[in-house]
Amino acid sequence: MPDRIVILGGGTGGTIAANRLRRSLPEGRADIVVVDRDDAHIYQPGLLFVPFGMAAPSRLVRSRARQLLRGVELVRHAVDAVDLGAGTVALDDGSTLGYDVLVVATGATLLPDETEGLTGPAWRRTVHTFYDMEGAAALAGALARFDAGHLVVAVMDMPIKCPVAPLEFSFLADWWLQRRQVRDRVRLTFVTPLDGAFTKAVCNRELAGLLADKGVEVVTEFNTGTVDGEGGRLVSYDGREVAFDLAVVVPLHGGASCVARSPGLGDPLGFVPTDPATLQSKAHPNVFVIGDAADLAASKAGSVAHFEGEIVAHNIARFLAGEPLDARFDGHANCFIESGFGKALLIDFNDEVEPVPGRFPGPVGLPLLRESRLDHVGKLAFEQIYWHVLLPGRSIPGVPSRMPLAGKRLAAAAQTAGS
Amino acid sequence: MPMTTLAGTDVDVDAEGFLTDASQWNEDVAAEIARAEGIEELTDRHWLVVQVMRREFAEKGTGPAVRALGKISGVGIAELYHLFPKGPAKMAAKIAGIPKPRGCI
Ligand SMILES: Cc1cc2nc3c(=O)[nH]c(=O)nc-3n(C[C@H](O)[C@H](O)[C@H](O)COP(=O)(O)OP(=O)(O)OC[C@H]3O[C@@H](n4cnc5c(N)ncnc54)[C@H](O)[C@@H]3O)c2cc1C
């Protein structure tokens, strides 16, 4: 009898895990079942470009089923909850699915309602987000009409998907407003709960410099308690205020609601406590986690889900064979940061090594942590790589799951650590 | 690592004054850090949060950020800011003698 591997979520991580497992496990070893509520797979990194008219929403969506290799079954239902003890998943139609191994790949959920006032009367009028398709499309309309006033980009709180995306939005807004020749009539402010643009020192210095060059003001350690849409202001828990004419917010994130409904599976925010090295859940040995659903310190990014894919597939094969889990994830993340005017920066880092300058993946590769045309082209190329290399569960030639050290100028990090 | 003496106890601290060894902490140390941060007296509500911070650190290796702290402790975010005006996660971590919570990035 083949074992049954059930994967909850057919987004980036679930698709990668399913296809990697299909490819690596011998024929007949396991049935692989992916559960997702719909058949619309969105290329989320493309949402950044929608408000600026640089990407058409319809072009970012493809069939989930078609991203899965033959032999992987897609069950189109919403997951209600998991029963860890019984080893079953309850679906919204009342049926249950048994599993030998479960992979949680239900991602992160936006929680705009958890911030007071955020979804009030001004929501989608002067208060927007580009973190989902509907929001990104609505923001495109609002931006097209915006030609003077205070544009505020605000992160409600961490963790969020792709932590650099709001910075990229600020850079692109500066470029876009200049192109429309209204930049001098617009004040642009970036509001963050963190104590800098980015938490890692070397990268923070570089990005803070870019923000300053582009005339973007930065408000740090601002934890938004209330969004007063009609009054046009953000109010922090410690009583500070930022006035706005147009606010672009990144709402609070939590885990999927089905995780919260599953006793023993999630933490208070609905993320799944996960061993950072083996990617096995802490709740139960036959439950593994990939992507944004995990409670890891690693970034919530598609590149991270990609690197995790190899580890998860390997460790599940070991688990099924009754052998100790020996693949270890290092927190590797890799992000292109679009900076406007046809340029971007690339950062590559893991749990131990912060983003530093140099080249990637080796000494003759793409520039790291420095604006360049090459990295912008890399960012655009990522879309094709996503559909044709990442999702099918292949490795990018020359880019290992384990973060490469060759090409990195590690002394840059040592210097700030010492200062 | 600089060393300093708080409430008669020798403790190792980082550049921002966070204890680097949570086992050197005791309640008198907590009270003294709190006073330096402008909290004259730690109430039961403060101690509840401090205890949650230490327990979470022992379990997970880092203190929670403010939202998770709110959910775990049952103390609402607005009250957390009232108790620890300079930022609950950071301030409570400092008083609880654990490292500054890692930003999740
Ligand atoms: C604006 C934006 C820009 C980004 N830019 C980048 C970038 O440049 N580079 C990068 O690497 N990453 C980027 N990301 C992040 C990246 O898209 C995510 O990290 C990645 O998609 C995570 O994959 P995942 O599988 O964990 O979650 P997802 O891909 O979100 O998939 C989760 C799936 O679970 C399903 N699901 C949830 N609950 C249920 C349920 N109860 N029943 C059934 N199905 C359920 C959902 O339908 C969904 O399909 C960006 C994200 C955003 C929003």
Side-chain angles (χ1 to χ4, degrees):
Chain A
M1 270 276 282
D3 285 313
R4 189 197 266 159
I5 303 173
V6 172
I7 299 172
L8 304 183
T12 314
T15 303
I16 290 172
N19 290 338
R20 281 215 179 246
L21 285 163
R22 178 72 294 160
R23 221 185 250 113
S24 59
L25 292 173
E27 198 69 40
R29 178 72 187 81
D31 292 331
I32 301 169
V33 181
V34 174
V35 186
D36 206 304
R37 52 165 82 94
D38 58 39
D39 192 37
H41 188 134
I42 297 175
Y43 175 64
Q44 297 177 46
L47 295 174
L48 171 68
F49 297 106
V50 170
F52 305 102
M54 296 163 72
S58 61
R59 225 198 58 211
L60 302 177
V61 189
R62 298 193 184 182
S63 155
R64 289 190 198 285
R66 288 219 214 109
Q67 315 311 318
L68 296 168
L69 294 181
R70 189 166 326 155
V72 176
E73 186 192 346
L74 176 64
V75 171
R76 272 183 54 186
H77 275 294
V79 174
D80 180 30
V82 179
D83 184 334
L84 292 170
T88 55
V89 178
L91 303 179
D92 63 348
D93 64 347
S95 65
T96 56
L97 260 175
Y99 61 79
D100 297 291
V101 168
L102 186 74
V103 181
V104 183
T106 41
T109 305
L110 305 181
L111 303 168
D113 290 326
E114 282 203 11
T115 300
E116 195 181 318
L118 179 54
T119 52
W123 181 234
R124 305 256 194 259
R125 299 202 354 243
T126 53
V127 179
H128 287 266
T129 185
F130 62 97
Y131 261 58
D132 58 15
M133 187 65 92
E134 201 191 345
L139 177 54
L143 266 186
R145 292 187 296 274
F146 185 75
D147 51 18
H150 193 186
L151 173 57
V152 172
V153 181
V155 177
M156 297 293 97
D157 202 358
M158 304 304 285
I160 61 170
K161 299 194 248 194
C162 195
V164 295
L167 285 166
E168 297 181 274
F169 184 90
S170 308
F171 295 147
L172 283 173
D174 166 68
W175 160 78
W176 192 78
L177 293 163
Q178 284 199 42
R179 218 187 50 174
R180 288 177 58 225
Q181 302 185 335
V182 296
R183 179 66 180 93
D184 54 344
R185 290 194 279 156
V186 175
R187 186 172 159 208
L188 190 52
T189 300
F190 181 75
V191 176
T192 171
L194 301 175
D195 56 11
F198 198 82
T199 47
K200 310 286 170 75
V202 182
C203 190
N204 183 36
R205 211 180 332 138
E206 185 69 28
L207 294 175
L210 268 181
L211 287 165
D213 289 349
K214 294 174 189 293
V216 181
E217 295 167 43
V218 180
V219 177
T220 56
E221 296 188 81
F222 192 96
N223 271 79
T224 303
T226 307
V227 177
D228 173 7
E230 282 156 313
R233 55 193 188 125
L234 307 176
V235 185
S236 70
Y237 281 111
D238 56 2
R240 288 178 288 155
E241 293 191 7
V242 174
F244 64 81
D245 296 296
L246 182 62
V248 176
V249 305
V250 180
L252 295 174
H253 285 40
S257 56
C258 63
V259 170
R261 284 192 300 268
S262 306
L265 186 58
D267 70 11
L269 298 184
F271 295 108
V272 182
T274 303
D275 183 303
T278 63
L279 303 179
Q280 187 178 41
S281 77
K282 293 180 182 166
H284 217 275
N286 65 343
V287 179
F288 290 79
V289 191
I290 188 169
D292 299 347
D295 76 336
L296 302 184
S299 290
K300 299 204 179 297
S303 63
V304 172
H306 165 70
F307 296 130
E308 288 171 342
E310 191 179 320
I311 313 292
V312 162
H314 180 92
N315 279 343
I316 289 175
R318 302 273 299 183
F319 180 83
L320 288 174
E323 290 163 356
L325 313 182
D326 61 356
R328 304 182 71 77
F329 183 55
D330 64 352
H332 188 190
N334 177 290
C335 316
F336 289 99
I337 307 174
E338 188 71 11
S339 58
F341 299 93
K343 292 185 184 169
L345 299 77
L346 177 63
I347 56 175
D348 189 70
F349 57 104
N350 68 13
D351 288 343
E352 247 109 64
V353 181
E354 64 171 297
V356 290
R359 287 187 177 265
F360 175 85
V364 293
L366 292 170
L368 284 170
L369 202 49
R370 183 163 56 83
E371 272 195 290
S372 93
R373 310 273 319 180
L374 273 181
D375 288 339
H376 168 68
V377 173
K379 172 110 188 168
L380 298 184
F382 186 67
E383 184 167 357
Q384 292 309 310
I385 292 176
Y386 181 84
W387 296 112
H388 299 297
V389 182
L390 263 57
L391 292 187
R394 299 201 178 92
S395 299
I396 306 171
V399 180
S401 288
R402 183 157 284 277
M403 190 204 71
L405 284 170
K408 288 202 167 69
R409 283 182 25 222
L410 295 172
Q415 276 160 16
T416 47
S419 68
Chain B
M1 248 0 130
M3 187 180 249
T4 180
T5 306
L6 293 173
T9 307
D10 290 336
V11 294
D12 298 303
V13 292
D14 70 7
E16 291 178 86
F18 288 83
L19 264 63
T20 54
D21 178 355
S23 70
Q24 294 172 338
W25 178 93
N26 62 41
E27 293 183 12
D28 295 334
V29 168
E32 179 136 344
I33 299 173
R35 269 193 298 277
E37 293 283 322
I39 300 173
E40 269 321 305
E41 175 144 12
L42 291 169
T43 64
D44 285 357
R45 295 298 271 179
H46 288 106
W47 285 113
L48 167 69
V49 174
V50 164
Q51 173 248 325
V52 167
M53 291 303 280
R54 286 189 66 83
R55 194 185 63 210
E56 285 290 303
F57 174 71
E59 276 173 23
K60 307 200 175 126
T62 176
V66 62
R67 244 174 94 212
L69 178 59
K71 302 225 180 200
I72 301 164
S73 64
V75 179
I77 312 251
E79 187 185 347
L80 283 172
Y81 272 90
H82 183 72
L83 293 169
F84 304 96
K86 290 191 215 157
K90 247 163 101 170
M91 234 174 141
K94 197 182 244 186
I95 295 169
I98 65 171
K100 185 170 159 183
R102 276 188 249 119
C104 338
I105 203 153

